[in-house]
Amino acid sequence: MNEALPEWPAFGLADDVRPALRAAAATGKPLVLATLTALGGGGPRPVGTQMVFGHGVVSGYFSGGCVESDVAAHAQACLADGAPRTLVYGEGSPWPDIQLLCGARIEIFLETVAADDPALAELLAAQNGRRPCAWLSDGRVRRCVAPEAAQPWAGAIRRDYEPTPRLAVVGSDPAALAIAGLGAQSGFETTLIRPKGPETPPPLAGVAYRREEAGQALADLGLDPWTAVAVASHDLVTDQSALLTALPSRAAYVGLLGARSRLPERLAKLRALGVSEAAIGRLHAPIGLDIGGKAPWEVAVSVIGEIMALRHARLSGSTSTSPPAGTAAAPGGRRSSASAPAKTLTSEES
């Protein structure tokens, strides 16, 4: 692993380094896992951000180009001697010539991990099984355990992992294709559901495809707390089937594309079929942040943006479902659940 970093930092587009860990381990050679452990003065990446350096594998970024090449050089040294190390950039750094343009101070912990390390195997197994886990390491001893069992020891870092976010999109029109495509590009494990659709899968990279009845497909997929469901079929029967499965489930997000004028009627049918008020109150309808656009990619941006905003609000402990501070919602911003029709129905269509 002595190659220079690529001129175009596409290696930084993926936020989750577990696929890179898997690829690096598959080579049978040791790799270096770098973790941002401390941040002062603000910065482009939060504590817990990681990079992976392996044989022919690089993934992640810390600073947008300020330190990555230097971290890569230290990773090479880490591989050579096997010793863990902590790098400091910014105030107090032994390398004053390397500065972050944002003025931040960051600390990055580097450790060499063998391809057959049991903790790494457990981390990847937890990802496969969609189980949360915690990585504990002092650079020489490491463990991967359930979060509730994590007990860091002196000198050890802790980095928690959730299952990979997942997105199920029900529909087949250009808006549904755009939502699925953008979801896959944004790091979601994405499945497009088109009941009785063609056998040929959609021409979307990284998107799985199912042709069963919508409710059955969602049930088979398994809707856990890290799954979002976007219902966008423009077919009342298909939408209803999907909602009957999604709303009572543990899915983190359920959104419905459609005209505001039809929403009371659709909610009434769900109530008549026994869906509880609590479940209906989880519905985001009309779907997405109100960004004022209705073209397919605009709808996709609004939907993925809403899902991400809610996910980050949950991770930060916030109960807000408003657009993040500094974003421009349209007048009368459409931002509440379907249990509050007076606040929700502010747009003719999503």
Side-chain angles (χ1 to χ4, degrees):
M1 192 220 85
N2 52 10
E3 308 95 349
L5 291 180
E7 292 183 352
W8 290 102
F11 54 83
L13 292 176
D15 194 47
D16 186 349
V17 300
R18 286 173 291 185
L21 286 170
R22 193 181 301 274
T27 69
K29 298 182 179 180
L31 58 96
V32 171
L33 177 62
T35 305
L36 198 161
T37 57
L39 172 64
R45 306 292 288 138
V47 169
T49 297
Q50 294 182 307
M51 287 190 73
V52 171
F53 301 91
H55 185 70
V57 177
V58 179
S59 183
Y61 84 101
F62 293 122
S63 70
C66 302
V67 306
E68 280 74 14
S69 292
D70 193 65
V71 175
H74 285 284
Q76 179 63 38
C78 193
L79 277 176
D81 62 23
R85 59 204 74 199
T86 297
L87 311 178
V88 178
Y89 298 100
E91 183 180 355
S93 171
W95 308 290
D97 56 318
I98 303 176
Q99 294 291 325
L100 280 75
L101 294 180
C102 60
R105 179 187 189 276
I106 60 175
E107 295 183 14
I108 300 171
F109 178 70
L110 271 63
E111 58 181 311
T112 302
V113 182
D116 60 353
D117 188 290
L120 177 58
E122 175 55 27
L123 174 63
L124 300 179
Q127 184 187 27
N128 291 342
R130 298 190 63 76
R131 292 183 281 110
C133 63
W135 176 271
L136 307 173
S137 176
D138 61 13
R140 299 188 185 279
V141 176
R142 58 189 59 86
R143 297 172 189 150
C144 185
V145 298
E148 61 272 17
Q151 297 182 349
W153 56 95
I157 68 165
R158 171 176 175 165
R159 206 289 190 179
D160 285 64
Y161 295 86
E162 290 192 337
T164 305
R166 187 165 56 185
L167 173 65
V169 181
V170 180
S172 61
D173 76 342
L177 295 179
I179 295 168
L182 185 58
Q185 292 179 58
S186 302
F188 291 84
E189 290 181 354
T190 303
T191 299
L192 182 70
I193 299 169
R194 181 181 179 180
K196 300 180 180 179
E199 293 187 5
T200 304
L204 300 171
V207 176
Y209 174 49
R210 304 188 72 124
R211 302 172 59 239
E212 306 100 308
E213 179 268 334
Q216 186 62 53
L218 290 173
D220 291 346
L221 189 63
L223 302 182
D224 60 27
W226 302 276
T227 300
V229 179
V231 181
S233 77
H234 297 285
D235 179 82
L236 295 178
V237 174
T238 297
D239 285 357
Q240 181 172 285
S241 171
L243 293 174
L244 286 172
T245 298
L247 287 175
S249 77
R250 298 192 300 155
Y253 172 94
V254 182
L256 174 65
L257 181 71
R260 69 163 187 168
S261 60
R262 299 295 302 274
L263 188 56
E265 174 189 350
R266 301 174 85 174
L267 297 184
K269 287 183 178 180
L270 292 173
R271 292 185 180 99
L273 290 169
V275 180
S276 70
E277 289 298 325
I280 290 174
R282 298 186 341 106
L283 180 62
H284 294 266
I287 197 171
L289 300 174
D290 194 339
I291 64 172
K294 297 182 180 180
W297 288 111
E298 293 170 333
V299 172
V301 167
S302 76
V303 172
I304 300 303
E306 181 172 55
I307 294 170
M308 287 184 169
L310 290 166
R311 178 158 60 98
H312 285 293
R314 175 181 60 81
L315 292 174
S316 68
S318 169
T319 58
S320 171
T321 56
S322 300
T327 62
R334 170 179 47 116
R335 185 52 268 129
S336 67
S337 70
S339 62
K343 295 181 180 179
T344 303
L345 307 180
T346 58
S347 170
E348 284 298 321
E349 292 183 342
S350 62

